[in-house]
Amino acid sequence: MDQHREHAARSADRSPVAGPSETVRHDVWVWLAPAGTLRIAVRARFDYDRADPCAVRVSFCLPHQRQVTWIFARDLLADGLYFPVGAGDIHIAPEGGPAGKNTRIILRPPSGAALIEVRRAPVRDFLRATERLVPRGQEEIDIDAFLKECVQEG
């Protein structure tokens, strides 16, 4: 990585910020390798909201101002830091085993696949900040409100 990108990567990998509405947001530089192409450094924004306690949103800021957002389980991301997890569209695993410094996220949308590599430490810091808002295993979901929302949308 050239010096400019190295500086940008250090600048973006700061501590997670807890927002006023009980959210956590963390910008991190990741390496993205769309199917069959070279790796490129892109900014990813990890978001967590206490109102949706089981989910994590990761938005990738792609070239030409395009943004792609994936939503997946916070537990999947947390477990994927230490051992391979996932099925279907999302797979997460530590690169180099549990002691490795990077985590790999494989996304498989209908249009192809992409490999994302991210340093483990900033993701771990993000997850710790989410757990200060809502500890793992203590998530509460209003099932009645969820079902009502599903019926209204359907």
Side-chain angles (χ1 to χ4, degrees), residues 8 10 16 22 26 34 41 44 47 52 55 60 64 80 100 113 132 148 150:
R10 283 193 307 270
E22 299 199 345
H26 192 38
D47 282 304
D52 192 3
F60 301 97
H64 309 295
R132 284 192 291 276
K148 183 178 178 180
C150 288

Side-chain angles (χ1 to χ4, degrees), residues 133-150:
L133 285 180
V134 180
R136 281 179 74 187
Q138 294 183 21
E139 299 90 345
E140 292 183 17
I141 300 171
D142 184 345
I143 298 296
D144 291 332
F146 173 73
L147 292 174
K148 183 178 178 180
E149 185 179 318
C150 288

